[in-house]
Amino acid sequence: MRWLVASDWELGYTFGMQRESGRNKAYKYVRDQILTSPASSGTFLNEQELATLIGVSRTPVREALLMLQAEGLVEMVPQRGAHVPPMSGRQITELMELRGVLERHAASAAISSGDAPVAAMRKALAEQMTLSCASGPEAAKSFIDLDGKFHQILIDSAKNELLSHTYSGLRARQLRVGLTALFAAEDRQRNVCAEHESIVVALESGDQRFAHRAIEQHLEVTLQILLRA
């Protein structure tokens, strides 16, 4: 019956870990399942509905929403709750600019080290290609998940933890704009695969300028589709 004589510190620590677990569960669910959907843009999130859906109390949901507010992913509106703001043209442009900086740096680092992750990126691309003709929201979500995996492999190859963490923190925004782009342009899945193939070929060649150009062209095409959407 060890738990009967647990110290106040131990009880507080255990309670804190349980609370943190609930908060993190709510945070990941809202970030990865709710905020990645283009349909969430401009909507308000109901704390009680989220709590019921996730299987936690309202307190960790509230804490998770405050964390997401700090990241600029939601806005807490008095008497209304958490609002998911639509991304402006400027925000989308800035996102693509940041991605370009990070991905070009990663490509240069990978090529300079002679360890470009060509095989891993080709594997992710092959998985994407199997979904390039599929339709429906679930197939689109899976396709964009693989898109994120493809680019994260490149980023991680730079072996810079801060760089990888920064890039992965963009995931919710990237999934949302990625899904928007898929539905806004005809045959976008196949074109994405072709653009990814160009990036892999450029990395395989060891030519940094070629790799940078392939990355820039891919991001620019996506940006123009999003700005027209």
Side-chain angles (χ1 to χ4, degrees):
M1 302 295 287
R2 170 70 181 84
W3 61 273
L4 288 176
V5 293
S7 67
D8 289 343
W9 182 88
E10 289 173 315
L11 289 173
Y13 178 77
T14 300
F15 175 77
M17 289 297 289
Q18 291 173 341
R19 185 174 181 180
E20 182 180 13
S21 176
R23 180 191 65 189
N24 288 343
K25 182 179 179 181
Y27 170 83
K28 291 176 181 177
Y29 185 89
V30 176
R31 183 195 64 184
D32 297 342
Q33 303 298 323
I34 305 297
L35 299 182
T36 57
S37 171
S40 70
S41 183
T43 65
F44 281 87
L45 306 180
N46 183 287
E47 290 182 15
Q48 186 56 60
E49 289 179 1
L50 287 173
T52 301
L53 186 64
I54 299 167
V56 298
S57 67
R58 287 185 63 175
T59 297
V61 169
R62 178 74 175 183
E63 292 174 345
L65 292 175
L66 289 173
M67 291 170 65
L68 294 164
Q69 179 186 35
E71 295 177 17
L73 292 172
V74 302
E75 298 172 342
M76 301 304 290
V77 181
Q79 311 302 320
R80 296 292 304 277
H83 177 248
V84 183
M87 291 182 67
S88 67
R90 176 179 177 179
Q91 289 173 322
I92 294 170
T93 300
E94 290 176 351
L95 172 63
M96 292 302 167
E97 287 178 351
L98 178 56
R99 282 189 57 184
V101 170
L102 299 180
E103 292 186 34
R104 287 193 301 270
H105 173 80
S108 292
I111 290 172
S112 296
S113 69
D115 193 27
V118 172
M121 293 176 75
R122 281 201 184 282
K123 182 178 179 181
L125 175 56
E127 293 178 59
Q128 268 195 304
M129 291 179 70
T130 63
L131 293 171
S132 62
C133 296
S135 59
E138 287 304 316
K141 179 69 161 51
S142 297
F143 184 90
I144 293 300
D145 277 333
L146 287 168
D147 184 90
K149 178 181 178 180
F150 176 90
H151 290 280
Q152 190 72 50
I153 289 169
L154 171 58
I155 292 293
D156 291 344
S157 71
K159 297 179 174 59
N160 182 315
E161 290 185 10
L162 184 57
L163 179 68
S164 292
H165 180 73
T166 299
Y167 195 86
S168 65
L170 302 174
R171 183 174 184 272
R173 292 179 176 87
Q174 293 194 81
L175 284 173
R176 194 196 305 180
V177 299
L179 285 168
T180 300
L182 282 192
F183 293 116
E186 186 178 353
D187 211 18
R188 183 60 188 148
Q189 286 97 323
R190 291 187 182 181
N191 289 334
V192 165
C193 290
E195 292 160 20
H196 281 183
E197 175 66 21
S198 295
I199 292 172
V200 174
V201 169
L203 289 169
E204 199 168 29
S205 75
D207 186 327
Q208 290 190 33
R209 288 187 178 180
F210 183 18
H212 288 185
R213 187 164 60 251
I215 291 168
E216 289 165 358
Q217 289 175 344
H218 174 49
L219 296 178
E220 180 62 25
V221 169
T222 303
L223 174 60
Q224 292 307 315
I225 290 172
L226 291 167
L227 293 179
R228 291 194 301 267

